[in-house]
Amino acid sequence: MKKLNKFDTEIKKLIPPLRKNWNWGKSQRGYVKQFSSYFIEYIFPYLLKSARNHGISLEKLSILDVGCGWAPLAIPFTIYEQSSNGGGNRYLGIDIREDAIEWLQRAYSSYDFVSFQLHAASQEADYIGAEHSKTKTCAESDGVEAKFSIPSDFCANIQWSSSVFTHLTPQACLQALISIKGSCHSSGIQINTWLIIDDESKYSLAAQIADRQLPFDCGDFLTYSEENPLVCTAYKIECIERMYKDAGLEILKIDRGSWRGPTYQNNPKHYQDIIISRIQD
């Protein structure tokens, strides 16, 4: 990554200590640079290009980051807001990790265009907590864990999530899509990553060129853990299409990711599949 501009000092203050980010799955070497570089160089530009391609004004962005974690997306958003001379942009990050939300609220306290909200979820629906504590998750739920209480005055024209729908029950997936639709502008877009089981990924799994094996079939999705199925939920395409339709969303595009094998790579180089959607007319 190139040397950061005048925001370098500010950015470092917005990166959580590695000891707190215990779910970090990459190399510890160069952690500070790794944490922000991918979102600065690939993800945020991808969101901007997608917005422009679908007629969304880049002058006033309102981004809803579902499952924000430690909010790497908020860093390029902060750069964007300051580089555009305060264009009235807004960012809201939502996550179930209380420690992350509390830290982020303190770290971004001087940025009034960035806010974070804690979303409570039961331990049975928290795959990260279950993996950390060696407990179990459930393959079915009532979906309430994905019923987000988004402030009524926040209306997103871009909604983003990374590796959220790959850890939800079918009922929670549908509820998440319904909640997202309710918080988006009618002309906005939703950009979410999934692991999609379709003819191509079925081949990749059978040929063992995918980055994982998914031997357990839970009906609507495949997984690699019977005890903690939410550690990886790879949804069948017909189920995904049904959920989007039931939520009132239209799938515009699917960018397939490199988890399927070496010939696949989507534009932002995300290893998961990316679905871009909008509210149905």
Side-chain angles (χ1 to χ4, degrees):
M1 176 183 173
K2 296 179 181 178
K3 184 180 175 73
L4 293 173
N5 54 24
K6 64 181 180 180
F7 302 114
D8 189 22
T9 302
E10 292 184 52
I11 288 172
K12 289 181 179 178
K13 295 179 181 178
L14 303 178
I15 298 174
L18 182 58
R19 68 179 183 278
K20 288 183 174 291
N21 192 6
W22 47 260
N23 195 47
W24 179 261
K26 303 174 186 177
S27 171
Q28 296 183 14
R29 186 175 182 180
Y31 163 73
V32 171
K33 190 173 291 187
Q34 290 178 21
F35 181 87
S36 59
S37 61
Y38 174 61
F39 279 78
I40 290 172
E41 296 178 7
Y42 293 100
I43 294 299
F44 195 75
Y46 179 74
L47 299 186
L48 294 179
K49 288 173 64 177
S50 297
R52 176 167 42 79
N53 289 342
H54 291 90
I56 296 173
S57 172
L58 301 184
E59 293 182 5
K60 287 189 178 182
L61 293 182
S62 184
I63 294 183
L64 173 62
D65 187 358
V66 175
C68 65
W70 291 96
L73 182 62
I75 292 176
F77 183 86
T78 299
I79 296 173
Y80 183 80
E81 164 68 14
Q82 295 185 355
S83 66
S84 62
N85 298 316
N89 304 297
R90 297 181 66 190
Y91 167 98
L92 173 62
I94 296 178
D95 202 83
I96 65 176
R97 286 191 61 176
E98 186 173 4
D99 57 343
I101 295 299
E102 288 180 350
W103 187 91
L104 289 164
Q105 288 173 338
R106 291 192 299 270
Y108 283 85
S109 59
S110 62
Y111 301 93
D112 59 4
F113 51 88
V114 174
S115 58
F116 297 95
Q117 180 175 309
L118 178 66
H119 176 71
S122 66
Q123 186 168 335
E124 290 77 17
D126 180 6
Y127 84 97
I128 294 178
E131 191 172 31
H132 190 61
S133 61
K134 305 303 180 183
T135 54
K136 296 182 179 182
T137 58
C138 300
E140 299 285 335
S141 72
D142 58 10
V144 69
E145 67 271 21
K147 190 173 184 179
F148 308 124
S149 299
I150 300 165
S152 59
D153 67 340
F154 189 89
C155 186
N157 51 19
I158 302 176
Q159 176 270 319
W160 161 260
S161 78
S162 175
S163 197
V164 170
F165 289 93
T166 55
H167 305 290
L168 295 178
T169 67
Q171 297 78 13
C173 284
L174 176 58
Q175 182 57 64
L177 291 173
I178 292 172
S179 295
I180 286 167
K181 178 193 174 186
S183 67
C184 284
H185 192 276
S186 58
S187 62
I189 56 173
Q190 305 80 40
I191 305 177
N192 296 284
T193 74
W194 296 73
L195 295 172
I196 301 175
I197 302 301
D198 55 18
D199 288 339
E200 291 169 89
S201 61
K202 286 177 183 176
Y203 166 78
S204 296
L205 290 166
Q208 298 186 2
I209 58 174
D211 69 358
R212 70 199 68 202
Q213 288 297 298
L214 302 166
F216 303 108
D217 191 331
C218 295
D220 287 331
F221 67 89
L222 306 182
T223 186
Y224 60 73
S225 173
E226 283 189 297
E227 291 75 24
N228 187 6
L230 299 189
V231 74
C232 178
T233 54
Y235 276 90
K236 300 173 183 178
I237 184 63
E238 58 269 20
C239 176
I240 292 173
E241 292 172 342
R242 182 179 69 247
M243 289 190 292
Y244 270 81
K245 182 178 179 180
D246 290 348
L249 297 174
E250 176 189 0
I251 295 176
L252 300 175
K253 182 180 181 182
I254 298 178
D255 276 341
R256 288 167 172 81
S258 59
W259 80 276
R260 298 161 171 264
T263 194
Y264 293 92
Q265 186 172 93
N266 51 41
N267 288 336
K269 299 184 179 181
H270 198 296
Y271 73 99
Q272 294 184 4
D273 306 314
I274 300 174
I275 296 180
I276 301 178
S277 64
R278 67 181 177 192
I279 296 176
Q280 291 178 345
D281 295 332

